[in-house]
Every structure is written in structure tokens, then in C-alpha cells.
Amino acid sequence: MSRYRLHYAPDNASLAVRLALEELGQSYETVLVDRAARAQAQPAFRRVNPAGRIPALETPQGPIFETAAILLHLADTHGALAPRPDAADRGIFLSHLFFLSNTVQAELRLLAYPETYVGREAPAAAAALRARVKRNLSWHLDLVEAAAGAGHGWLGAEVPSVADLLLACLLRWFAIYPPGETGWYDLSGRPALRRVAARVETREAARRAAAAEGLGPSPFTAPELPDPPEGSAV
């Protein structure tokens, strides 16, 4: 029996968790959350994640939700992919991991689904929100570029951390989501971020995850819209 059950949808935030499980060599089962049928809002999924968002991970200690919490739990449980709890750089690592999750990923959600926040009847407000978020994200990516290029062992290193895995996923999504709204995104002046995408992509874990979710041959350096064998990314 697998130790973990990952409730996922293709090319969603669960991708970072799948990458971590693969990197750690952990056995796990996947449970599709069918976004096309709004399964994330149904009682069956909310019993695992009461917030009704993807992902959720069932563990021997019980279910966990929120991407950064899952990633940190896996890293600490298996003693890899993050600085130890007593390490001198643990605090700054946590700052960047949660910045990626709580700020950068959250703003990507604003960019992808502005109507959720301003209403479908307010296209001008949605356009204004997207423009503001794009400016914020460009600035935030500059901050992450500086951290990834600073020589830390937990961001931009040869062996990825859970922060690198989440960052690679974010870089993928910026390039393809939402379709028609990606012209703001440019890594030409951000070499450290390009290296993160390339290093994660060469990992066997990434190849297995890409095959499982239909992400194409270059999921992080040259992303394309997914063609998943099951379920829907949106």
C-alpha cells in the first residue's frame, strides 16, 4: 500500500507536490480531482481539503492541504529538499518558500481568474486588475531572480529544494496561463530563473511527472498547454 495519496488535477498546484514525491522516491497513489466537473467543490473532496482547492495529500498523520505546507511536511519528514529545521538558513528558506506560495502563486491566481474577484460583469475592472498584477509579478520575479542567483543551497542549486520545484512550476504557468495574457512574461534578463527551469527539467522526477500529466517534452524551459491522459487542467 502506498504511503501517500495525492489528490491532484493535471498542471495544477499539485504538480509541485508530485515532483517532490518523485524526487524523494516515495510511493504514492493519485486521485484525480476533475476540475471540469467542479469536483473540488464537492463534499467528497472537501472531506480531505475543507478549503476546496487542489492539492491535498493524505498522509499517515492525516490529510494536509496548502501547497507550501505539503512541500515542507514532505521535506522535513524525509530529511531532504530543504534545510534542516535547526539550520542557520532555515528562516530565509522559509521566507522564500512562502513568498512563492502565498504571494507569487496567489497573484498568478488573480491573473488567471480576475472575474472571481471583480465579477464577470466588470471587464474593465478585470483588465485593470490583470495589468496591476502583471506589474507586481515582474517585480516579484526580480526578487526571486536575485535570490536564485545568490548561491544559496536551497534556491538555484544543482540539487533542487522544494522551493525550486515550486518555482519551476510557477515559471511554467507564467509562460502559458492565461492564454493570450502572457506577453508580460520574459526570462531573457533573468538567467538564474532560466537555470532553475532547466535544472528541474533534466531531473528524472520531472520527466515522470511530465509524462503522467501530459506536459510535453520541455515542460519548464519551453512550456506548452498540457494534453493530460485524464482530467482537465482548467
Side-chain angles (χ1 to χ4, degrees):
M1 180 179 295
S2 298
R3 181 171 186 174
Y4 297 109
R5 298 183 81 220
L6 173 62
H7 295 254
Y8 91 105
D11 212 17
N12 276 237
S14 49
L15 175 59
V17 179
R18 186 192 288 268
L19 288 170
L21 289 165
E22 292 285 352
E23 284 285 348
L24 292 166
Q26 293 299 305
S27 63
Y28 65 99
E29 304 169 23
T30 55
V31 181
L32 177 68
V33 183
D34 187 354
R35 291 196 60 182
R38 294 284 300 161
Q40 69 270 31
Q42 300 305 311
F45 181 65
R46 286 185 180 272
R47 283 193 289 271
V48 182
N49 180 358
R53 289 191 178 180
I54 303 163
L57 185 70
E58 293 186 68
T59 79
Q61 295 78 33
I64 305 174
F65 58 97
E66 290 297 320
T67 304
I70 297 171
L71 293 173
L72 188 59
H73 174 81
L74 289 172
D76 286 352
T77 297
H78 299 287
L81 306 184
R84 300 184 314 276
D86 60 349
D89 55 355
R90 172 75 168 196
I92 192 63
F93 160 77
L94 292 176
S95 294
H96 283 82
L97 175 63
F98 283 90
F99 178 70
L100 289 171
S101 181
N102 293 1
T103 300
V104 181
Q105 185 177 347
E107 289 188 346
L108 176 59
R109 184 175 177 84
L110 287 173
L111 182 61
Y113 307 109
E115 66 280 355
T116 300
Y117 303 92
V118 302
R120 295 185 180 278
E121 300 76 23
L129 177 59
R130 275 185 163 147
R132 186 164 63 252
V133 169
K134 289 173 186 177
R135 291 192 295 270
N136 286 350
L137 285 172
S138 292
W139 177 51
H140 295 330
L141 285 178
D142 287 339
L143 295 180
V144 181
E145 165 72 18
H152 300 296
W154 43 262
L155 193 66
E158 289 290 338
V159 178
S161 71
V162 290
D164 288 294
L165 301 179
L166 178 56
L167 175 56
C169 294
L170 291 169
L171 297 178
R172 168 182 169 77
W173 298 326
F174 291 144
I176 58 176
Y177 296 120
E181 293 285 345
T182 60
W184 68 275
Y185 177 67
D186 182 12
L187 285 188
S188 61
R190 298 176 174 121
L193 297 185
R194 293 202 309 271
R195 286 194 297 272
V196 169
R199 284 172 176 164
V200 171
E201 188 172 277
T202 63
R203 309 284 294 182
E204 285 299 322
R207 294 192 181 101
R208 290 190 292 268
E213 300 196 11
L215 306 185
S218 304
F220 303 115
T221 61
E224 57 190 50
L225 290 172
D227 182 20
E230 64 172 1
S232 171
V234 295

